[in-house]
Structure formats: C-alpha cells, structure tokens
Amino acid sequence: MIKERLTDVLEAVEPGELADQLEHVALSGGKRVRPTVTILTCETVGGDPEDALDFAAGIELVHNASLVIDDIIDESAVRRSHESAWAAFGHGPAVVTSDGLIGEAFALFSPSARAMERVADAMVQLGEGEASELVSQPTTEPEYMDLARRKTGSLFRAAAELGGIAADEDDPTVDALGRYAERVGIAFQIRDDVLDAIADPDDLGKPTGQDVVMERPSLVRITDLSPSEANERAREQADAALDALEEVPVANVTARNYLADLAEFVVTREH
C-alpha cells in the first residue's frame, strides 16, 4: 500500500527529471519502518489504514529527504546498496531532490492542521539535532541520547502521532503513541551505531565503520561502552517504548502486537 501510494505521488511530479530523482531515492527500497508505524498506530486505536496512507507516504518522503542531506554531509556514496542521490546526480540536484521530497510530503499533510503541526515540530527537532551535531558533538551519554531523540526519535514520534491523528484520536492518546515511537526511534539509532561497528557492509547495504572515519558521534565511539553494552541501552529504550504503549487504548490487538514486535525488532535487526 505504501509503495503504491509513493509511486502514484512521485509519478505525478514535474518536470520528469525531478520525478526520476525523487523515485531514485524514495523507491530504492528501505525498511519503510516509519510509514508502517503510521499505519499500525492508526489500526491499533481502531482507525482505517486507508485514512492513514497519505500521512504514511508523507513521513517516508520526509525521512528520505533527510537521508539525502545526511549522505551529502557524510560524503556517503551508497544508500540501500544503490548510489546515493549526490553520487548519482551531483550535489546541487541532490539538494533539489531533498527539497522536492519535502514539498510532496507537505502536500500530503496539508489537509490536516494537526498533522502539519506535529510534523513541523518533528522537523524543527531534526534540524536542531543536525545543526548541534555539526557545531558541537556530544561527548557524554546523556548528550548523545538527546541528539538521538532529536535526529531519529522525532520523526518516529511524528509517524506514530500521524496514525493517531488519522484515526481522529484525542491528544493524550496521540501523545502516548508518540512517546512509544520516540523510544523506538532512539533504540533504532543506537542499534545503527552498533551495526556500524560490527556488521558486514554487504549485509548492511551501506559502508560500515563510517562513524569512526567521519568522526560522527555514536554511543559506541563517545563512551566506553562495548557494542554489547550499547545494545543493552537500546533494550532499555525498547522497554520504555513498550511501557508507553500500555497507555494506548487498544481497538485492534493484532496491530498493537505488531507495534510491540517492532520494539523488539529494532534491537535485534541485522541490517
């Protein structure tokens, strides 16, 4: 459902060259975790997944736009086993591609003022996180956790909140869904750090060891934690996510259980 909606949206982009660049980024694969969260949170509280589909596609576009910029900053030529946008098209067109992805995303959010507000807040947090990392990298575990909350947790939080909004839930329920997903996002980022330190690049679909090469803050690099100990921190975040999920009124147990499974998956995934 998500891929079909993304395809429909991007095929309508003009000019065709821009559409090709957006499709190169957004249709090249990926886990689609954030849009899946949007669909599942909507279903969990009793909403129709069709009502959440535009929001799900939109949050995936925002995520992909951020990856384009990340790859430029990191000088990473590979993303999802394909050429990154800047490597394929050049730096200028890659920036335009990121802008185009954000524009298409906000067109999908625009029918709902609540959705626009939640996503805008997440993008402010994301931008502040990116800026703070470039200016002054974290040197302690608490500083790292705050950065992970901004850079990764914020979009996860928005993804879950959008599902609740699509189901027309009240703010306390939307907030509880957001707390669940923010913790999942932090766990996801910590696991990324661990995989960068220990995974095989062919399995991961992108170069490994980049945190050290780029002097990028990771929980493994800025602390004395071993990869195994760092993964325990990810486990703590996943457990906190499950606690937040307990606060959500459940109408669809199957969807809720998938959300619980996701909290487990982000700690054990291998790619």
Side-chain angles (χ1 to χ4, degrees):
M1 290 170 61
I2 294 163
K3 183 177 180 180
E4 287 175 0
R5 187 66 184 116
L6 287 170
T7 300
D8 289 343
V9 169
L10 299 180
E11 284 182 346
V13 170
E14 294 182 351
E17 291 82 359
L18 179 59
D20 290 343
Q21 292 167 11
L22 268 58
E23 289 174 2
H24 174 88
V25 173
L27 300 181
S28 63
K31 291 173 284 293
R32 309 276 192 234
V33 178
R34 292 157 191 81
T36 300
V37 166
T38 302
I39 298 294
L40 288 175
T41 52
C42 180
E43 288 187 295
T44 293
V45 297
D48 185 340
E50 291 283 352
D51 293 338
L53 194 53
D54 275 5
F55 291 168
I59 204 68
E60 179 72 355
L61 293 175
V62 171
H63 170 57
N64 278 276
S66 73
L67 296 181
V68 172
I69 302 303
D70 282 348
D71 288 339
I72 292 173
I73 293 172
D74 296 344
E75 300 178 2
S76 178
V78 178
R79 170 69 62 177
R80 297 167 179 160
S81 301
H82 294 81
E83 281 189 304
S84 60
W86 73 264
F89 310 120
H91 289 92
V95 172
V96 173
T97 296
S98 181
D99 289 344
L101 291 166
I102 291 173
E104 294 301 324
F106 272 84
L108 294 171
F109 302 136
S110 62
S112 169
R114 291 178 77 196
M116 292 284 281
E117 180 180 2
R118 298 281 179 154
V119 176
D121 179 71
M123 292 190 68
V124 169
Q125 293 292 320
L126 174 61
E128 289 176 350
E130 293 276 10
S132 64
E133 182 180 358
L134 291 173
V135 173
S136 179
Q137 294 191 358
T139 58
T140 66
E141 186 173 332
E143 289 176 352
Y144 169 89
M145 290 297 185
D146 184 63
L147 179 63
R149 177 185 62 80
R150 291 172 181 269
K151 281 191 61 181
T152 307
S154 60
L155 277 189
F156 270 89
R157 186 190 72 233
E161 291 171 342
L162 288 169
I165 291 168
D168 201 27
E169 281 294 324
D170 58 20
D171 283 341
T173 298
V174 171
D175 290 341
L177 290 168
R179 289 195 301 275
Y180 152 81
E182 182 176 88
R183 296 288 191 161
V184 168
I186 296 171
F188 188 97
Q189 182 59 59
I190 296 172
R191 181 62 179 169
D192 249 10
D193 294 351
V194 172
L195 290 174
D196 186 77
I198 66 173
D200 182 279
D202 291 334
D203 294 335
L204 197 59
K206 60 182 178 180
T208 56
Q210 292 296 99
D211 291 340
V212 173
V213 172
M214 301 302 300
E215 298 185 350
R216 187 166 51 198
S218 81
L219 191 58
V220 176
R221 196 173 75 83
I222 68 172
T223 69
D224 294 328
L225 296 175
S226 67
S228 176
E229 290 169 331
N231 219 56
E232 282 302 310
R233 298 292 196 274
R235 167 59 61 186
E236 292 169 5
Q237 294 294 321
D239 289 343
L242 294 173
D243 290 342
L245 191 58
E246 290 295 325
E247 302 176 30
V248 176
V250 176
N252 184 320
V253 175
T254 301
R256 185 265 179 207
N257 288 343
Y258 280 132
L259 290 175
D261 288 345
L262 176 61
E264 300 287 342
F265 165 74
V266 295
V267 180
T268 59
R269 66 191 176 92
E270 298 296 333
H271 63 278

